Amino acid sequence: MKQILTVTLAVAMLFAACQKKKGQSPNVVYDTVTVVTTTDDLNAVVENAGVGADFVMLSEAIPDAILEIRYYSTYNFVGARVDGYLEPVALMTRRAADSLRAVSDELLKMGYRLKIYDAYRPQMAVDHFVRWAADVSDTLMKPYFYPKVPRNRLFELGYISKRSGHTRGSTVDLTLFDMRTEKEVDMGGTFDWFGEESHPNFGGDPATGKYRPNEKITEEQFHNRMILRNAMMHHGFKPIGTEWWHFTLRNEPYPNTYFTFPVKTL
């Protein structure tokens, strides 16, 4: 463990020095070339590196946004508070937050607010997901998030992985809140639902916005997904093919860097 930690710190310090020369934040904690195998090692790295000034709180960057940080609560697919979420706040890189503010401003004119489920996610949280997925006996939240997916296939099907774009600080999970009805917009599916119903192209073609009639997603629900998707893409975010709520800034400032400092007030 000491050997692993030494390698980790050495790489982190070297990468930090390079970033400092480029005029970027020197507080880089975890890079893709770093070998870290335990949460203890990650916590030790955190003690030797601060939170980068390039990260901001979304409650300050986007005051109109509603926060429902699921991994701070027990209402998530794990069924417990996830490691690294010390407070129910949302953090992102400043560049991503600025772009998300532009999204918020556009949608406000249409009568919507952003509701954010997750933003920056520390590596220790991803490690928590990996440990959880390995325990096939834990099916506490299966009826609510993955009723049709066998626990022993979560890795194979790509629902759980050892790396997450969230850990780079410029990815966000979100939905829309209708200011007229004062309710979440009906997207035809819930955040973190493991299934094809969560795919953006389920029920239609996102490229054209054309609905494809089916028994699970209505035309209105598909249209609502497209409102969010189009606004996010208009301001520099890219979607993925498996989750309608997930977007990453195209020009993210740390495309190859994974952080692990905890989620808490900056």
Side-chain angles (χ1 to χ4, degrees):
M1 179 173 172
K2 290 183 178 179
Q3 182 178 4
I4 294 173
L5 180 56
T6 300
V7 174
T8 301
L9 289 173
V11 175
M13 291 172 65
L14 176 61
F15 193 85
C18 293
Q19 293 292 85
K20 189 171 183 180
K21 288 181 180 179
K22 296 178 182 179
Q24 299 177 355
S25 169
N27 295 314
V28 175
V29 180
Y30 182 51
D31 189 69
T32 50
V33 300
T34 306
V35 179
V36 177
T37 59
T38 70
T39 301
D40 288 343
D41 289 339
L42 290 171
N43 289 339
V45 174
V46 171
E47 293 176 2
N48 289 275
V51 178
D54 286 344
F55 281 79
V56 298
M57 296 180 60
L58 291 186
S59 58
E60 296 178 354
I62 313 171
D64 295 306
I66 300 169
L67 303 186
E68 185 182 327
I69 308 305
R70 289 283 183 88
Y71 301 140
Y72 178 79
S73 74
T74 58
Y75 182 55
N76 55 60
F77 64 85
V78 174
R81 182 177 297 176
V82 176
D83 289 354
Y85 286 82
L86 304 186
E87 296 180 59
V89 299
L91 312 177
M92 288 190 83
T93 61
R94 187 178 303 277
R95 185 183 300 174
D98 287 345
S99 294
L100 194 60
R101 174 60 186 265
V103 174
S104 176
D105 290 344
E106 176 180 325
L107 290 171
L108 279 172
K109 296 176 182 177
M110 301 170 62
Y112 302 109
R113 295 171 66 183
L114 297 180
K115 185 171 185 179
I116 297 170
Y117 296 119
D118 193 35
Y120 160 70
R121 181 184 307 163
Q123 181 63 37
M124 67 181 82
V126 178
D127 290 347
H128 189 167
F129 293 163
V130 171
R131 294 195 306 275
W132 169 84
D135 181 7
V136 295
S137 66
D138 182 356
T139 58
L140 176 65
M141 304 304 284
K142 183 177 177 64
Y144 309 102
F145 294 97
Y146 55 103
K148 300 178 182 178
V149 182
R151 277 295 299 267
N152 62 359
R153 298 193 65 198
L154 291 177
F155 283 104
E156 173 190 345
L157 296 174
Y159 293 114
I160 302 294
S161 62
K162 295 182 179 180
R163 290 287 185 274
S164 169
H166 283 273
T167 310
R168 302 193 299 265
S170 296
T171 294
V172 62
D173 293 334
L174 75 174
T175 190
L176 298 177
F177 181 87
D178 191 324
M179 293 190 291
R180 180 181 59 84
T181 63
E182 296 186 347
K183 296 180 180 179
E184 274 189 35
V185 172
D186 186 357
M187 297 292 194
T190 185
F191 164 66
D192 262 354
W193 177 267
F194 294 178
E196 63 177 357
E197 298 89 350
S198 294
H199 297 182
N201 65 356
F202 187 86
D205 182 358
T208 64
K210 186 176 181 179
Y211 173 67
R212 183 174 59 254
N214 64 92
E215 297 179 353
K216 295 184 178 180
I217 300 290
T218 67
E219 185 172 5
E220 181 180 6
Q221 291 166 339
F222 178 76
H223 176 67
N224 291 338
R225 293 184 180 190
M226 295 304 102
I227 292 175
L228 175 62
R229 180 187 179 94
N230 291 338
M232 294 295 287
M233 294 181 68
H234 182 218
H235 294 284
F237 288 88
K238 58 184 179 180
I240 60 174
T242 54
E243 300 171 348
W244 59 259
W245 57 81
H246 177 113
F247 298 89
T248 298
L249 188 68
R250 289 186 182 278
N251 189 26
E252 58 181 312
Y254 300 110
N256 300 306
T257 305
Y258 293 78
F259 298 90
T260 192
F261 58 83
V263 175
K264 62 180 182 178
T265 302
L266 299 181

